[in-house]
Structures are given as structure tokens and as C-alpha cells.
Amino acid sequence: MEFPTKRMRRLRKSPQIRNILRETRLHPSDLIYPMFVSEKLERGDVEAIDTMPGQFRYSVDDAVSEASRLEDEGLSSVLIFGMPSAKDELASAAHDPHGVVQRTVRRLKEETDLVVMTDVCLCQYTSHGHCGIVVDGEIVNDETLEVLSRIALSHAEAGADVVAPSDMMDGRVAAIRRSLDDAGFQDTLIMSYAVKYASAFYAPFRDAVSSAPAFGDRRSYQMDPANIDEALIEAELDLREGADILMVKPALAYLDVIGKVRERFRVPLAAYNVSGEYSMLKAAIKSGYLTDEAIYESILSIKRAGADLIISHFAPDLLGVI
């Protein structure tokens, strides 16, 4: 059919018509809220993150209270990042059973019905700020796998529903799956940061958790932003190793990658709307260049590209809107 028989504007003529024909919808259960919990903070000591307006570092008590409040507003899931009181070269605090993440997870499972996810990495816990063990100035892969497995297991023992390795070491999903299964945690899910690019959009996050590398960069283990075929290989490898959920990170600058991964793999897919994507929108809104409607549109685009789950600092802004 052609004009004048076919008139596409008929499909948009009223809010009611547009609503019933809408192809992509956001729901609160699509959202995962990342939370930063610091071992150095006491109850009531909430620290604003300057590079991420509206985001905070919490004590364990305050993180649980905030998560519970957001659950009452419709939030279903949180992703916990820990900040220890002390660091060392081996990230020892990351797998401490009494560590900040482990204590937060226990409290959340006791006091809420949220799906509790945990970030599994070394960078916030190492004195050098890298995501792996460093030997003679190099980030060594295989030696890091044992530490990652210990971290993931400690999170599962605390009650985490989902562990999410973000380090980008080769073979880490298989190592973690074996560790969990051997310890009887066959039902703990792995959400793999399968496609994680070496992105400039992480800068505010590294300030938030004090995880900038002390030397070099992370380009030897995080992906080249120019590559998409490599993303599909990474995703397939992680699925073969036992990943239950795949993730693409960042999201807005990589919508094409999300689409390609969705097209190739019919498995649960998450996308991380990262700190830089959050902060640049917040800055534009504050300056009057954009309105709050840009938040909804940007998150909708991630869902439309193919993501089932969206990790976003915008989650609290959206709960009352979607």
C-alpha cells in the first residue's frame, strides 16, 4: 500500500493509540540499581559523589535502608560494589567473609526481597587498582582466576543471588562456575561482563570507588572499542563456560553491539548504562540543554536495542515514571 491509502500518522493520532501500539516498554523489573558501599562509613555517613550528581557512597546500614526504600517504590534488583577500609596487592579484603560486600549481602537478604547481585573484581581492593594480580608489572591471567573464584564463592556464601565477574580475565566464568558448584552453590547465577570495552565513559565510576589504576591502563584485558566480531566471540566463550546472563558494557555508545549480541544469542542479556553516560546526561539537564525526558529516552533505547536488564544509576529517577 502507498499514500494516500497507507497513512502512518493514523498510528500516532492520539496518546491512547500510541500507547497500545508501543513496541518497546520499560518496566521496573528491567532495572538493576548499582550501589556503592564503603567499609569506612558509619551509619548516617552518606557521601555524595561529586562526579555523579545524585549518587552516593553508603555505609552498610544506609545501603540496606536505601535499597529497602527503593524496593517499596518498585525496584527488583541491586548490584553491590564494595569499598574496603584497606587495600593490598592481592585484594585480600575482597574475599573476607566479614567484608563490606558480604555483610551488605547478608543484611539485604535478611531484610528485603530484592534480587541481590554482586560485582566480582579486584580493582577496588588492590593497592595498584588493576582488575588482576600483578607480577613484575604485568596483569597475570591464570593466577587471578583463583582469587576471583574465592571472591565469588564468598559472595554466594553470604547469600548473593547473582555474582557478576567484571575483570575480563580469560576463563574466569568457568573457574567461578566450578568453584560455586564444588561448594554446593549450583543455583547461584553468573552474570558475566562478557563484552566489556576499555571505555572513557568509566571515569566517574573510578572516582566513585577509588579504583583508577596506579600504572598503565586496562587495555590489555578490556576490549578495543573498535571491535564487534570480538564481542560475539567473548559472549560465546562465556556461555560455553557457564554464564547464565551476558552483559554489554557500556550501553549507549554500544547499542549496535547490544543488538548484535541479542541477534546471535537468545539468552538473558544485560547492558550497563555506565557512570559517564549517567553524568553527561545529568550535566546537560542541569545546564538546561536537555530535559528529564532524555533519561527515559536513553534507557528506552537500550531496551529497544535488545537488553532484557539494564544496570543504571538512573533507576531511582525512573521508578516513578515507568
Side-chain angles (χ1 to χ4, degrees):
M1 291 187 291
E2 298 179 355
F3 178 83
T5 304
K6 183 64 174 177
R7 292 179 179 266
M8 294 299 293
R9 287 184 60 189
R10 283 196 291 263
L11 305 178
R12 310 169 195 141
K13 70 175 188 176
S14 71
Q16 294 83 0
I17 294 294
R18 292 194 295 272
N19 183 54
I20 66 171
L21 297 178
R22 187 159 292 131
E23 298 175 25
T24 305
R25 299 177 186 273
L26 287 172
H27 188 272
S29 62
D30 300 333
L31 303 175
I32 302 169
Y33 186 43
M35 300 188 73
F36 307 119
V37 190
S38 174
E39 196 168 38
K40 297 179 181 179
L41 298 178
E42 301 292 338
R43 180 194 289 270
D45 294 335
V46 177
E47 289 183 349
I49 300 170
D50 293 339
T51 54
M52 299 176 65
Q55 299 301 303
F56 303 90
R57 302 179 193 91
Y58 296 99
S59 68
V60 173
D61 289 331
D62 291 307
V64 174
S65 295
E66 177 66 3
S68 180
R69 183 187 71 81
L70 292 173
E71 182 183 24
D72 290 340
E73 295 186 7
L75 185 70
S76 298
S77 308
V78 291
L79 177 60
I80 302 301
F81 293 85
M83 301 174 63
S85 57
K87 304 183 180 188
D88 61 27
E89 292 188 355
L90 301 177
S92 303
H95 49 77
D96 182 347
H98 304 293
V100 63
V101 169
Q102 292 81 353
R103 289 187 287 121
T104 303
V105 169
R106 289 191 192 96
R107 289 278 306 279
L108 286 169
K109 295 307 295 181
E110 291 170 359
E111 300 178 33
T112 75
D113 290 319
L114 291 165
V115 176
V116 179
M117 307 180 178
T118 59
D119 181 75
V120 176
C121 198
L122 278 64
C123 59
Q124 298 106 276
Y125 299 87
T126 53
S127 52
H128 48 71
H130 276 287
C131 302
I133 300 298
V134 174
V135 177
D136 296 329
E138 291 191 13
I139 296 88
V140 292
N141 191 93
D142 295 9
E143 293 88 337
T144 301
L145 300 184
E146 180 181 354
V147 181
L148 291 167
S149 297
R150 293 179 68 183
I151 297 170
L153 181 56
S154 74
H155 292 178
E157 289 172 339
D161 299 294
V162 183
V163 294
S166 62
D167 54 282
M168 287 301 284
M169 298 296 120
D170 292 332
R172 89 271 205 209
V173 173
I176 290 171
R177 186 73 271 164
R178 283 194 300 270
S179 176
L180 293 173
D181 290 356
D182 288 349
F185 291 98
Q186 294 90 344
D187 291 336
T188 302
L189 283 74
I190 297 176
M191 178 170 66
S192 169
Y193 287 67
V195 181
K196 182 177 179 180
Y197 287 92
S199 173
F201 286 99
Y202 303 152
F205 170 88
R206 291 173 182 169
D207 174 68
V209 298
S210 302
S211 67
F215 67 90
D217 55 39
R218 295 175 176 152
R219 296 181 184 276
S220 71
Y221 44 102
Q222 295 178 359
M223 287 179 52
D224 187 332
N227 296 352
I228 193 167
D229 290 341
E230 182 183 355
L232 300 177
I233 296 170
E234 288 279 12
E236 183 172 359
L237 286 171
D238 281 8
L239 282 176
R240 289 181 178 182
E241 291 181 17
D244 300 288
I245 306 168
L246 297 175
M247 187 199 302
V248 174
K249 179 182 179 182
L252 287 178
Y254 296 84
L255 295 177
D256 59 329
V257 180
I258 296 170
K260 285 287 189 181
V261 174
R262 162 51 67 230
E263 184 179 305
R264 178 72 64 88
F265 306 106
R266 303 306 298 179
V267 300
L269 177 60
Y272 201 139
N273 177 221
V274 299
S275 59
E277 296 170 338
Y278 170 86
S279 294
M280 68 179 184
L281 267 185
K282 282 289 189 179
I285 292 167
K286 182 179 179 180
S287 297
Y289 303 146
L290 295 173
T291 67
D292 286 340
E293 291 181 350
I295 297 173
Y296 174 84
E297 186 176 341
S298 66
I299 302 302
L300 183 69
S301 75
I302 300 169
K303 180 77 177 286
R304 188 182 63 241
D308 302 298
L309 300 169
I310 301 167
I311 304 159
S312 179
H313 306 284
F314 285 122
D317 296 275
L318 292 168
L319 289 174
V321 177
I322 60 178

